[in-house]
Structures are given as structure tokens and as C-alpha cells.
Amino acid sequence: MTPAEMNWAGNITFGARRLCVPRSVAELRETVAASEAVRALGTRHSFNTVADTSGDLVSVAGLPRVVDIDPAARTATVSAGLRFGEFAAALHERGLALHNLGSLPHISAAGACATGTHGSGVDNRSLAGSVRALDLVTADGGTRTLRRGDADFDGAVVSLGALGVVTALTLDLVPAFDVQQWVYEDLPEATLTAGFDEVLSAAYSVSVFTDWSPGPVGQVWLKQRVGGEGPRRMPAEWLGARLADGSRHPIPGVPAGNCTRQQGVPGPWHRRLPHFRLEFTPSNGDELQSEYFVARRDAAAAYEALARLRERISPVLQISEIRSVAADDLWLSPACGRDSVAFHFTWVPDAAAVAPVLAEIEDALAPFGARPHWGKVFSTAPEVLRTLYARYADFERLMARHDPSGTFRNAFLDRHFPG
């Protein structure tokens, strides 16, 4: 296949017989109805085979662009393939906002929600937590809408594409807000481990960046909502860390030109909550990613377990990010049922070198019931995953009811959800 049929990072070449880019929902329905095996693609920002198939790949990026805003209901219905950065400004212009955004505004709404992707904030749920309804094309080419409160809804939002091809999402909105962003450097590691909650609760959204080297934690990014009192100033020192004297990239030494505005300059939520600007597409082909979620109460102990592996982690790591995610009720959400802290790893693009380190990380985090991000690289065994989700078997039954012919199954789902 050509590079166009690879994932974002270029570490996965899809095994599909063809790639279809339907230009309408009607065309998508015809394609699905005529296919024995189908998987949907958005912006391809996954690092494993969750989106692969031996049949037909269908890209939702070609569907008509829809951004239908209902100010009275505080909702927006958006087409599945739209990137968050492509419709966030329209929401802001109407005085509305999403509760949170991920690090990248370049990812598609449907793909992000289907895999439990998130931003940060002790009171902020994953991006899927804002989904009020979803429209999908079913295996027979029919359509179905699932709404919050429906019996299957909590299993259908984070569904890994297993129930059908999502064509549109209706998202809950909040009043628009501005955000200031600051970066602090060299937070003492002992301060973090002794006060995880204090650090992660210090702003509306907080990200801790580390390369796991001994000594202070590299950076803490604080994204604070601008309140009624207006923009605020931050002290030169905070919890033993010092305020950065200029803009920073999460990876030390990399120019910060692609990053969102820092140093406390106020700006709209959609231009501050992501780490990177929509105008600059992040490079692809030069990284792998993994992420593991533990209960927030276990964050310090999990950090210490990972720190004991620092000499194994650092040589194959570009940067690691630590964020908080509020609990939700979505069956396969990595934050389902528990307020969580997510440990994210951006690796060098060397799968063979990363694999043994991943195994050691998973062993170290096993006592904390660590749940891997569904769209990133992991090796947690299916029998272990089954013990980590209370509704795992319910999801398998949901798959069987929605897709009895197995049209949307693939090797990834067969391995993890044999039913």
C-alpha cells in the first residue's frame, strides 16, 4: 500500500484490500452493505491495528462537513471526520465551548471518542464524556442513533469501531471561556510524589512532563481558566519550580513555535487547551506512543514504580506526560468508574527496542490495575484486560447484538474480545 494507507506514525501499514472515501452518508451505506469486512478511519492517529482490516477501509474524512450548533440546548452535532480544531472556532464564535480538548487539535472527533482519548483536569472527563448522541451506519447499511439514556449508549461511545461506522456526534457544550497557560520547570520530584493531587489540581488543566531522568521533573504546564477577576499573574516560583522565561516545547531543546501560546497570554479555550497549534501539523513517522491509566489514589505509588525503571525507560523515550482524567460511566473508557491519572509515553520509532520496556512497565503497573489506551501500543494480555473492566463481557454481548455477522470485527477485536 502507499503511505496514504498507513497510520499517522507510519508504524502500521493497513492490510485492507481497498480504501474507500465515500462523499455522502448514502454512499457510505452502500459501501458498508456491500462489504463483508469494514473498518472506519478518521485521522489515523492510532499506533496499533485497532483500525485495520483485511476487507474495506472507509474514511469518514470525505463525508459532508456538518457543524450544527444549538445554543439553547448547548449542543453541537458534528460530522465524524472533522478534526476538533476545525469546528472549535465556530463554537467559540457562538459563545460556546467543549469542556476539554486533547493535546492535538488535529484528531477526528469520532476516532478520539471511540478510543477514550482525553485532555487533562481533575474535574474533566475524557472527550467521549461530552457525547450526547451518535449516529452510525450498521452492518446491513442501515442507520441508527443512540442517545444518552438508551440502554446501549454507555457501551457504544467508546466502542473501538466495533458497532458500526459513526457518521456524526452530538456533543455537550459549555459557555465559552478564555485560558492562560504557564510553564514551570524543575519541579522537585519529591514534591510531586508527596503531593500529586496538589500538583494536578493546580489549574483547570495540568500536564507534567518528564524524561524520567534522576532529579527534578522537567516541566509542568498549567492551563487556568480566566475568571471574573480577569487575567492573573503567576509567581516566579511555585512548589519549588521556577516559571519558564520563554515558551517551551514538551521535549527539551525542540523549538516551541508549534506550541500554543504560553507565558500567561490569555486566549480562547481552543487555542490554549491543546499543546499544539492547528496551523502546524505535528510530524509523523518519528514516534510511537503508549499510555496507561491508574486510579488517581494510586498515582504516587505508580510513579515510584515507574521511576525504578528510569534507566530502562529513558534510552527509548522522547518524553513522558502525566495527566488527570475524571471518572465516567462509559464501559470501555480507561477512566470508567474511577478518577484516573494517565502516564503517557512518546517513544523513539523503534518498536523492537520499545517492546521489552513496555513489558516491564506493564508488570510494574499491574498492581494498580493499569488500563492501556486502546489506540496506542500495548501488550497487556486480553485475559488481564477482562479483569480491569466491569462491563467487558457486556460489551462483547453488545458487539454480538449490533454486528452478528462480524462485519466490523478485525484481528484486534478478535484477540481482545473473542466473545
Side-chain angles (χ1 to χ4, degrees):
M1 281 193 171
T2 68
E5 280 76 52
M6 300 176 74
N7 68 333
W8 176 293
N11 69 304
I12 300 293
T13 299
F14 297 122
R17 63 180 182 180
R18 63 173 179 166
L19 171 66
C20 306
V21 187
R23 299 299 175 181
S24 68
V25 173
E27 185 181 341
L28 172 61
R29 293 176 64 184
E30 291 175 359
T31 300
V32 172
S35 300
E36 294 182 359
V38 180
R39 293 293 287 172
L41 283 181
T43 47
R44 309 165 190 246
H45 195 260
S46 58
F47 295 82
N48 59 35
T49 57
V50 64
D52 200 10
T53 180
S54 58
D56 295 330
L57 283 172
V58 291
S59 171
V60 295
L63 294 178
R65 298 166 63 91
V66 174
V67 183
D68 185 5
I69 302 170
D70 185 337
R74 284 189 183 172
T75 64
T77 299
V78 302
S79 44
L82 279 181
R83 302 179 298 168
F84 282 96
E86 292 177 312
F87 65 87
L91 303 183
H92 189 76
E93 289 171 2
R94 300 289 293 274
L96 296 166
L98 294 166
H99 75 288
N100 208 358
L101 288 170
S103 299
L104 297 175
H106 309 77
I107 55 178
S108 66
C113 292
T115 55
T117 298
H118 59 95
S120 186
V122 295
D123 296 320
N124 296 326
R125 295 172 297 168
S126 73
L127 305 181
S130 68
V131 176
R132 182 180 293 196
L134 53 86
D135 300 331
L136 67 162
V137 172
T138 55
D140 61 358
T143 59
R144 183 173 183 183
T145 298
L146 291 171
R147 296 179 174 85
R148 187 181 294 144
D150 291 348
D152 293 341
F153 180 81
D154 286 347
V157 181
V158 182
S159 65
L160 314 181
L163 307 184
V165 180
V166 174
T167 58
L169 300 163
T170 299
L171 306 174
D172 287 328
L173 305 176
V174 298
F177 55 95
D178 285 348
V179 173
Q180 295 174 270
Q181 178 172 218
W182 297 270
V183 175
Y184 281 87
E185 298 179 301
D186 294 335
L187 177 74
E189 188 174 59
T191 300
L192 177 63
T193 55
F196 246 95
D197 275 350
E198 182 179 5
V199 172
L200 295 179
S201 302
Y204 184 79
S205 172
V206 177
S207 291
V208 176
F209 290 99
T210 179
D211 62 6
W212 296 100
S213 298
V217 175
Q219 299 176 9
V220 182
W221 291 36
L222 303 178
K223 301 171 189 274
Q224 186 64 58
R225 288 182 61 149
V226 176
E229 72 282 1
R232 57 188 294 190
R233 295 175 62 87
M234 293 292 281
E237 292 190 8
W238 167 75
L239 297 180
R242 69 178 186 279
L243 189 64
D245 59 5
S247 295
R248 297 290 188 266
H249 190 283
I251 302 176
V254 175
N258 292 2
C259 297
T260 50
R261 193 77 180 270
Q262 301 165 23
Q263 297 182 284
V265 178
W269 56 280
H270 62 283
R271 292 189 173 274
R272 295 295 182 272
L273 291 178
H275 298 332
F276 299 97
R277 298 163 58 187
L278 181 65
E279 304 93 300
F280 295 92
T281 302
S283 60
N284 58 12
D286 59 356
E287 64 182 39
L288 299 173
Q289 293 184 10
S290 302
E291 188 169 35
Y292 298 91
F293 297 66
V294 303
R296 201 167 119 198
R297 63 179 177 273
D298 293 327
Y303 180 95
E304 291 170 347
L306 291 170
R308 289 192 284 272
L309 297 175
R310 64 173 86 241
E311 292 183 359
R312 296 283 292 141
I313 293 172
S314 291
V316 291
L317 183 75
Q318 296 192 52
I319 200 65
S320 188
E321 182 179 9
I322 305 168
R323 291 176 285 178
S324 55
V325 189
D328 58 48
D329 298 318
L330 307 175
W331 297 356
L332 290 188
S333 167
C336 183
R338 65 188 194 189
D339 291 332
S340 300
V341 167
F343 292 86
H344 187 279
F345 302 87
T346 298
W347 305 108
V348 299
D350 186 342
V354 169
V357 180
L358 271 187
E360 293 182 52
I361 286 173
E362 290 171 356
D363 285 344
L365 295 180
F368 311 109
R371 298 167 176 167
H373 189 298
W374 292 107
K376 301 185 188 295
V377 181
F378 67 91
S379 60
T380 308
E383 58 270 22
V384 174
L385 285 175
R386 183 176 295 275
T387 68
L388 303 178
Y389 291 89
R391 306 298 297 272
Y392 206 88
D394 291 334
F395 183 76
E396 290 178 316
R397 288 188 283 269
L398 182 64
M399 289 173 59
R401 291 201 311 273
H402 276 254
D403 184 23
S405 63
T407 299
F408 301 111
R409 295 191 71 92
N410 64 357
F412 181 94
L413 294 175
D414 287 343
R415 169 174 164 75
H416 294 99
F417 302 93

mmCIF file of all heavy atoms in Angstrom, residues 35-55:
data_model
loop_
_atom_site.group_PDB
_atom_site.id
_atom_site.type_symbol
_atom_site.label_atom_id
_atom_site.label_comp_id
_atom_site.label_asym_id
_atom_site.label_seq_id
_atom_site.Cartn_x
_atom_site.Cartn_y
_atom_site.Cartn_z
ATOM 1 N N SER A 35 -19.988 -4.822 1.699
ATOM 2 C CA SER A 35 -18.696 -5.318 2.185
ATOM 3 C C SER A 35 -18.878 -6.431 3.210
ATOM 4 O O SER A 35 -19.779 -6.379 4.048
ATOM 5 C CB SER A 35 -17.893 -4.174 2.811
ATOM 6 O OG SER A 35 -17.649 -3.150 1.867
ATOM 7 N N GLU A 36 -18.000 -7.398 3.153
ATOM 8 C CA GLU A 36 -18.014 -8.460 4.161
ATOM 9 C C GLU A 36 -17.248 -8.046 5.410
ATOM 10 O O GLU A 36 -17.511 -8.572 6.498
ATOM 11 C CB GLU A 36 -17.402 -9.729 3.576
ATOM 12 C CG GLU A 36 -18.223 -10.343 2.443
ATOM 13 C CD GLU A 36 -17.606 -11.628 1.938
ATOM 14 O OE1 GLU A 36 -16.543 -12.023 2.460
ATOM 15 O OE2 GLU A 36 -18.189 -12.240 1.018
ATOM 16 N N ALA A 37 -16.292 -7.150 5.243
ATOM 17 C CA ALA A 37 -15.483 -6.679 6.377
ATOM 18 C C ALA A 37 -15.169 -5.212 6.173
ATOM 19 O O ALA A 37 -14.689 -4.822 5.096
ATOM 20 C CB ALA A 37 -14.196 -7.487 6.507
ATOM 21 N N VAL A 38 -15.437 -4.391 7.192
ATOM 22 C CA VAL A 38 -15.273 -2.936 7.093
ATOM 23 C C VAL A 38 -14.681 -2.406 8.393
ATOM 24 O O VAL A 38 -15.050 -2.850 9.484
ATOM 25 C CB VAL A 38 -16.624 -2.233 6.848
ATOM 26 C CG1 VAL A 38 -16.427 -0.723 6.741
ATOM 27 C CG2 VAL A 38 -17.306 -2.760 5.610
ATOM 28 N N ARG A 39 -13.784 -1.442 8.257
ATOM 29 C CA ARG A 39 -13.337 -0.665 9.408
ATOM 30 C C ARG A 39 -13.282 0.803 8.992
ATOM 31 O O ARG A 39 -12.990 1.128 7.829
ATOM 32 C CB ARG A 39 -11.954 -1.108 9.890
ATOM 33 C CG ARG A 39 -11.915 -2.497 10.483
ATOM 34 C CD ARG A 39 -12.681 -2.598 11.775
ATOM 35 N NE ARG A 39 -11.977 -1.929 12.867
ATOM 36 C CZ ARG A 39 -12.506 -1.742 14.077
ATOM 37 N NH1 ARG A 39 -13.755 -2.126 14.315
ATOM 38 N NH2 ARG A 39 -11.805 -1.147 15.017
ATOM 39 N N ALA A 40 -13.545 1.694 9.955
ATOM 40 C CA ALA A 40 -13.568 3.127 9.683
ATOM 41 C C ALA A 40 -12.230 3.771 10.033
ATOM 42 O O ALA A 40 -11.555 3.367 10.986
ATOM 43 C CB ALA A 40 -14.687 3.792 10.469
ATOM 44 N N LEU A 41 -11.879 4.793 9.263
ATOM 45 C CA LEU A 41 -10.689 5.597 9.517
ATOM 46 C C LEU A 41 -11.086 7.050 9.705
ATOM 47 O O LEU A 41 -11.986 7.548 9.034
ATOM 48 C CB LEU A 41 -9.717 5.528 8.335
ATOM 49 C CG LEU A 41 -8.855 4.290 8.153
ATOM 50 C CD1 LEU A 41 -7.974 4.478 6.927
ATOM 51 C CD2 LEU A 41 -8.006 4.028 9.380
ATOM 52 N N GLY A 42 -10.383 7.733 10.612
ATOM 53 C CA GLY A 42 -10.531 9.170 10.764
ATOM 54 C C GLY A 42 -9.232 9.836 10.362
ATOM 55 O O GLY A 42 -8.845 9.846 9.195
ATOM 56 N N THR A 43 -8.512 10.370 11.352
ATOM 57 C CA THR A 43 -7.212 10.976 11.079
ATOM 58 C C THR A 43 -6.058 10.003 11.294
ATOM 59 O O THR A 43 -4.892 10.408 11.250
ATOM 60 C CB THR A 43 -7.021 12.222 11.958
ATOM 61 O OG1 THR A 43 -7.384 11.909 13.310
ATOM 62 C CG2 THR A 43 -7.876 13.369 11.463
ATOM 63 N N ARG A 44 -6.358 8.736 11.562
ATOM 64 C CA ARG A 44 -5.361 7.653 11.644
ATOM 65 C C ARG A 44 -4.396 7.810 12.813
ATOM 66 O O ARG A 44 -3.283 7.275 12.776
ATOM 67 C CB ARG A 44 -4.576 7.552 10.330
ATOM 68 C CG ARG A 44 -5.433 7.485 9.080
ATOM 69 C CD ARG A 44 -4.608 7.752 7.834
ATOM 70 N NE ARG A 44 -5.465 7.920 6.668
ATOM 71 C CZ ARG A 44 -5.492 7.073 5.631
ATOM 72 N NH1 ARG A 44 -4.738 6.020 5.633
ATOM 73 N NH2 ARG A 44 -6.287 7.308 4.615
ATOM 74 N N HIS A 45 -4.812 8.539 13.835
ATOM 75 C CA HIS A 45 -3.911 8.762 14.962
ATOM 76 C C HIS A 45 -4.033 7.615 15.966
ATOM 77 O O HIS A 45 -4.427 7.783 17.126
ATOM 78 C CB HIS A 45 -4.216 10.097 15.639
ATOM 79 C CG HIS A 45 -3.111 10.543 16.556
ATOM 80 N ND1 HIS A 45 -3.150 10.373 17.916
ATOM 81 C CD2 HIS A 45 -1.919 11.133 16.297
ATOM 82 C CE1 HIS A 45 -2.053 10.842 18.453
ATOM 83 N NE2 HIS A 45 -1.289 11.313 17.499
ATOM 84 N N SER A 46 -3.726 6.429 15.497
ATOM 85 C CA SER A 46 -3.617 5.257 16.361
ATOM 86 C C SER A 46 -2.287 4.591 16.044
ATOM 87 O O SER A 46 -1.756 4.735 14.939
ATOM 88 C CB SER A 46 -4.781 4.290 16.128
ATOM 89 O OG SER A 46 -4.838 3.883 14.776
ATOM 90 N N PHE A 47 -1.776 3.855 17.010
ATOM 91 C CA PHE A 47 -0.431 3.308 16.889
ATOM 92 C C PHE A 47 -0.429 1.786 16.915
ATOM 93 O O PHE A 47 0.622 1.164 17.033
ATOM 94 C CB PHE A 47 0.453 3.861 18.016
ATOM 95 C CG PHE A 47 0.653 5.348 17.911
ATOM 96 C CD1 PHE A 47 -0.305 6.235 18.390
ATOM 97 C CD2 PHE A 47 1.792 5.873 17.317
ATOM 98 C CE1 PHE A 47 -0.130 7.605 18.282
ATOM 99 C CE2 PHE A 47 1.979 7.246 17.209
ATOM 100 C CZ PHE A 47 1.009 8.108 17.691
ATOM 101 N N ASN A 48 -1.613 1.185 16.820
ATOM 102 C CA ASN A 48 -1.723 -0.261 16.743
ATOM 103 C C ASN A 48 -2.719 -0.615 15.638
ATOM 104 O O ASN A 48 -3.091 0.247 14.835
ATOM 105 C CB ASN A 48 -2.125 -0.852 18.106
ATOM 106 C CG ASN A 48 -3.459 -0.303 18.610
ATOM 107 O OD1 ASN A 48 -4.373 -0.032 17.828
ATOM 108 N ND2 ASN A 48 -3.577 -0.148 19.917
ATOM 109 N N THR A 49 -3.175 -1.847 15.593
ATOM 110 C CA THR A 49 -4.016 -2.315 14.492
ATOM 111 C C THR A 49 -5.506 -2.211 14.787
ATOM 112 O O THR A 49 -6.306 -2.882 14.143
ATOM 113 C CB THR A 49 -3.666 -3.771 14.149
ATOM 114 O OG1 THR A 49 -3.825 -4.588 15.325
ATOM 115 C CG2 THR A 49 -2.228 -3.885 13.651
ATOM 116 N N VAL A 50 -5.907 -1.350 15.724
ATOM 117 C CA VAL A 50 -7.319 -1.242 16.076
ATOM 118 C C VAL A 50 -8.179 -0.871 14.870
ATOM 119 O O VAL A 50 -9.343 -1.278 14.774
ATOM 120 C CB VAL A 50 -7.516 -0.222 17.229
ATOM 121 C CG1 VAL A 50 -7.119 1.180 16.825
ATOM 122 C CG2 VAL A 50 -8.948 -0.257 17.754
ATOM 123 N N ALA A 51 -7.649 -0.126 13.906
ATOM 124 C CA ALA A 51 -8.426 0.321 12.746
ATOM 125 C C ALA A 51 -8.218 -0.554 11.520
ATOM 126 O O ALA A 51 -8.844 -0.309 10.482
ATOM 127 C CB ALA A 51 -8.078 1.764 12.400
ATOM 128 N N ASP A 52 -7.399 -1.572 11.606
ATOM 129 C CA ASP A 52 -7.036 -2.346 10.418
ATOM 130 C C ASP A 52 -8.133 -3.345 10.051
ATOM 131 O O ASP A 52 -9.024 -3.656 10.847
ATOM 132 C CB ASP A 52 -5.719 -3.077 10.659
ATOM 133 C CG ASP A 52 -5.031 -3.489 9.369
ATOM 134 O OD1 ASP A 52 -5.477 -3.051 8.289
ATOM 135 O OD2 ASP A 52 -4.043 -4.250 9.445
ATOM 136 N N THR A 53 -8.053 -3.859 8.847
ATOM 137 C CA THR A 53 -8.984 -4.883 8.363
ATOM 138 C C THR A 53 -8.378 -5.548 7.135
ATOM 139 O O THR A 53 -7.514 -4.976 6.463
ATOM 140 C CB THR A 53 -10.347 -4.269 7.983
ATOM 141 O OG1 THR A 53 -11.222 -5.298 7.511
ATOM 142 C CG2 THR A 53 -10.203 -3.226 6.891
ATOM 143 N N SER A 54 -8.842 -6.752 6.856
ATOM 144 C CA SER A 54 -8.476 -7.415 5.608
ATOM 145 C C SER A 54 -9.484 -7.097 4.517
ATOM 146 O O SER A 54 -9.309 -7.504 3.367
ATOM 147 C CB SER A 54 -8.409 -8.936 5.816
ATOM 148 O OG SER A 54 -9.670 -9.424 6.278
ATOM 149 N N GLY A 55 -10.550 -6.370 4.882
ATOM 150 C CA GLY A 55 -11.595 -6.018 3.939
ATOM 151 C C GLY A 55 -11.451 -4.599 3.438
ATOM 152 O O GLY A 55 -10.427 -4.225 2.869
#
